[in-house]
Amino acid sequence: MERTLVILKPDCVWRGLIGEVIKRFEDEKFNVIALRMLHLSAEEAGKFYAVHQGKEFYERLTEYMFGSPIVSMVLEGEKVILRIRELIGATDPKDAVSGTIRKKYALSGLMNVVHASDSLEAAREEIAFFFDEDAIFHYQRREGS
Ligand code: ADP
Ligand code: MG
């Protein structure tokens, strides 16, 4: 089963949207198999977003992502990497399709609620950035009471 790494960014936490966003994932039958609240240091934020080093928004991005509580999680499910990217929508909410999480909640192209891995390789690296294997769990969905 495929896994992806999702981060609920500071603007998600500040605005009390943690539950809303996780509910969207759970409603799509993706399992949350690891979950953690933390602060990134400036250095960690820079390292996590190292692929964007040199871009004009890099400084703003790392500044925004460090020192505020974020929630990182691993989601598991069929084609979860692609499907979560579809569910969250385009980076800038102006470009996002209606019904997507960013279209509904993002404040700007920077403060856009949620991060999700964009490839198998990124997912593997990003999961390892936040979680040891023994912090990742497995369970089956059971419907009803
Ligand atoms: P995504 O998060 O959709 O994968 P990118 O990987 O391109 O988007 O960028 C990483 C993050 O950097 C974005 O989610 C957003 O917070 C920020 N960002 C990207 N492009 C811009 C931009 N043009 N202006 C401000 N912030 C940006
Ligand atoms: Mg990206």
Side-chain angles (χ1 to χ4, degrees):
M1 194 74 89
E2 203 172 271
R3 295 169 171 184
T4 196
L5 187 280
V6 166
I7 301 174
L8 306 185
K9 293 181 172 184
D11 64 294
C12 180
V13 176
W14 292 331
R15 290 183 291 150
L17 296 173
I18 296 172
E20 289 282 329
V21 175
I22 293 179
K23 179 160 170 46
R24 294 285 296 269
F25 300 148
E26 291 193 314
D27 283 351
E28 295 295 319
K29 306 293 182 227
F30 295 118
N31 282 358
V32 178
I33 60 169
L35 189 65
R36 185 179 165 205
M37 182 174 256
L38 72 154
H39 281 169
L40 291 177
S41 66
E43 197 183 2
E44 288 167 329
K47 193 172 158 215
F48 184 79
Y49 280 116
V51 298
H52 297 299
Q53 217 159 356
K55 294 185 185 162
E56 64 82 22
F57 61 84
Y58 179 71
E59 301 294 327
R60 274 183 289 147
L61 174 60
T62 55
E63 199 165 304
Y64 161 59
M65 288 298 290
F66 95 81
S68 292
I70 58 169
V71 177
S72 66
M73 72 188 78
V74 181
L75 298 178
E76 184 178 62
E78 300 247 333
K79 297 199 182 336
V80 68
I81 297 170
L82 182 65
R83 287 177 59 202
I84 291 294
R85 292 288 299 189
E86 287 170 355
L87 202 62
I88 71 177
T91 308
D92 189 323
K94 290 201 289 291
D95 305 324
V97 171
S98 84
T100 60
I101 292 170
R102 283 168 165 171
K103 185 67 175 187
K104 185 161 184 197
Y105 296 118
L107 298 172
S108 66
L110 176 66
M111 298 190 181
N112 57 4
V113 190
V114 55
H115 165 88
S117 309
D118 63 4
S119 67
L120 261 176
E121 194 191 349
R124 212 174 293 123
E125 278 175 21
E126 292 176 359
I127 289 168
F129 185 96
F130 287 101
F131 296 99
D132 293 331
E133 271 301 316
D134 67 3
I136 301 175
F137 297 83
H138 292 283
Y139 55 92
Q140 298 291 327
R141 282 293 182 95
R142 298 178 207 180
E143 303 304 335
S145 52

